[in-house]
């Protein structure tokens, strides 16, 4: 029958671009197929890992499993000439479909399929050829994110995916610690916080971010918040802060569609109090160019227009992205306008983030940061490692894999493209 093996094609020395291939008895699975964080979209086809079945169909590649909807875990799928069946969470599929209307490159046709047989559900095992895959719903800044247990040939591999223990879904992390999978031979565990956080430091909890928003929004003046619409926890925190301070949260069409795609009636939606939908200029152009007027239909009752936005600007909080500076310039902002950066600081230092900060500065709008990580602190990484008790712990999704040996006695280092036994 052979041995159960794994190969991390990308991720042993970087955050992003995650891709792991699993092999047993001549059959293979692919877990994630992400775009590297520092890659340009034009590089996609060149960045595809050397996996048989991505350029030409290979029936031995049984499935691609996507752990969640962040592009550094799925972004290269659009460049594959061939894809096997794709498994992902139901909400992840809806979120990707919703986002596809706003991105320049179309989703791969396989991702656009709707197959109930290819849905990940918390702790419900799936048999894929000789592999049994059990998803574990985790706390992460992406909605509907999973860790994965993969079993084959009597061996057990656990892939942590991206996770944390300080978000609004922290109960999922505590549940995983209380009832972890057993007899794990190899765990591939993310380490995004190494190099960003001291071992004894903790990331702020999402509830603390909400408290900071409340404090900030209590002062008068327009506020632009630069946050990802797919960071659902952050949108919830921002909305709750708006309610407490009597402000209106302005969402664009993309954000409204992402929130709706969660399928969760407890997530803020168009039509809720203190929420208004505004279609920024660049999205109006996009809708007209692509004849997607159908996207506007659900928001007839909740949509506001530029003149009304200007009239409520001093009491408004806008979920903001760089393409909205045109709209900002059209608003009659009296005074006290300010911006909040609510994403990883590394993005602010990158080209687009730096440009965003510069554009705010040109307009005399100060910016401050209110953010907490979507990834686990080092202490929570240790808690997971102790609960899982894997025989071998392999660094992935980290720039600091060599730091693991200082914290985990069972660390095993591998290199990108290297095949190893589970």
């Amino acid at each position: 029958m052979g041995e159960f093996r794994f190969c991390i094609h990308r991720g042993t020395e970087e955050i992003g671009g995650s891709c792991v291939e699993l092999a047993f008895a001549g059959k293979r699975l692919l877990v994630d197929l992400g775009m590297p964080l520092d890659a340009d979209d034009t590089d996609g086809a060149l960045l595809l890992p050397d996996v048989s079945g991505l350029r030409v169909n290979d029936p031995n590649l049984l499935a691609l499993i996507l752990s969640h909807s962040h592009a550094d875990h799925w972004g290269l799928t659009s460049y594959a000439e061939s894809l096997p069946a794709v498994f992902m969470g139901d909400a992840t599929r809806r979120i990707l479909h919703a986002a596809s209307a706003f991105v320049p490159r179309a989703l791969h046709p396989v991702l656009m399929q709707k197959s109930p047989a290819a849905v990940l559900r918390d702790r419900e095992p799936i048999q894929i050829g000789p592999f049994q895959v059990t998803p574990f719903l985790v706390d992460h800044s992406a909605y509907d994110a999973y860790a994965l247990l993969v079993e084959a040939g009597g061996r057990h591999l656990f892939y942590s995916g991206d996770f944390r223990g300080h978000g609004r879904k922290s109960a999922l992390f505590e549940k995983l610690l209380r009832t972890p999978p057993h007899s794990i031979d190899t765990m591939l565990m993310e380490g995004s916080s190494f190099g960003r956080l001291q071992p004894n430091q903790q990331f702020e909890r999402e509830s603390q971010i909400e408290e900071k928003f409340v404090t900030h929004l209590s002062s008068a003046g327009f506020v632009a918040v630069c946050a990802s619409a797919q960071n659902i926890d952050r949108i919830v925190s921002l909305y709750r802060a708006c309610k407490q301070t009597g402000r209106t949260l302005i969402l664009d069409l993309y954000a409204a569609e992402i929130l709706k795609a969660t399928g969760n009636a407890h997530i803020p939606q168009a039509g809720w109090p203190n929420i208004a939908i505004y279609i920024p200029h660049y999205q109006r152009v996009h809708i007209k160019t692509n004849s997607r007027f159908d996207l506007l239909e659900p928001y007839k009752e909740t949509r506001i227009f530029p003149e009304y936005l200007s009239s409520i600007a001093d009491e408004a909080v806008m979920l903001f992205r760089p393409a909205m500076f045109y709209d900002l310039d059209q608003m009659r902002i009296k005074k006290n306008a300010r911006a909040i950066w609510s994403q990883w600081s590394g993005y602010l230092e990158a080209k687009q983030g730096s440009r965003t900060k510069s554009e705010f500065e040109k307009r005399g709008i100060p910016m401050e940061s209110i953010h907490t990580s979507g990834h686990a602190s080092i202490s929570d990484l240790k808690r997971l490692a102790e609960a899982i008790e894997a025989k071998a712990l392999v660094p992935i999704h980290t720039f600091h894999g060599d730091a693991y040996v200082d914290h985990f006695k069972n660390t095993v280092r591998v290199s990108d493209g290297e095949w190893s036994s589970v």
Side-chain angles (χ1 to χ4, degrees), residues 223-234:
V223 180
V225 179
C226 301
S228 169
Q230 291 200 33
N231 187 341
I232 305 300
D233 277 11
R234 190 59 41 80

Side-chain angles (χ1 to χ4, degrees), residues 164 166-169 203-218 225 231-245 247 249 266 268 317 340 342 368-373:
R164 63 179 176 180
H166 55 273
R168 292 191 174 276
K169 304 177 291 298
F203 289 119
E204 290 184 289
R205 302 190 70 80
E206 191 65 38
S207 57
Q208 293 174 287
I209 297 303
E210 178 185 327
E211 292 170 2
K212 286 189 172 184
F213 279 148
V214 169
T215 299
H216 191 97
L217 300 184
S218 296
V225 179
N231 187 341
I232 305 300
D233 277 11
R234 190 59 41 80
I235 305 304
V236 170
S237 295
L238 188 55
Y239 173 70
R240 287 169 59 91
C242 284
K243 283 195 70 178
Q244 292 176 65
T245 55
R247 286 177 171 268
L249 176 58
H266 301 289
V317 176
I340 296 174
S342 197
E368 70 172 84
S369 178
I370 300 178
H371 181 60
T372 192
S373 179

Side-chain angles (χ1 to χ4, degrees), residues 138-168:
V138 296
D139 180 21
H140 183 43
S141 53
Y143 192 82
D144 197 33
Y146 294 89
L148 301 166
L149 168 64
V150 184
E151 304 171 63
R155 306 288 286 178
H156 303 75
L157 178 142
F158 188 75
Y159 172 70
S160 76
D162 291 1
F163 74 98
R164 63 179 176 180
H166 55 273
R168 292 191 174 276

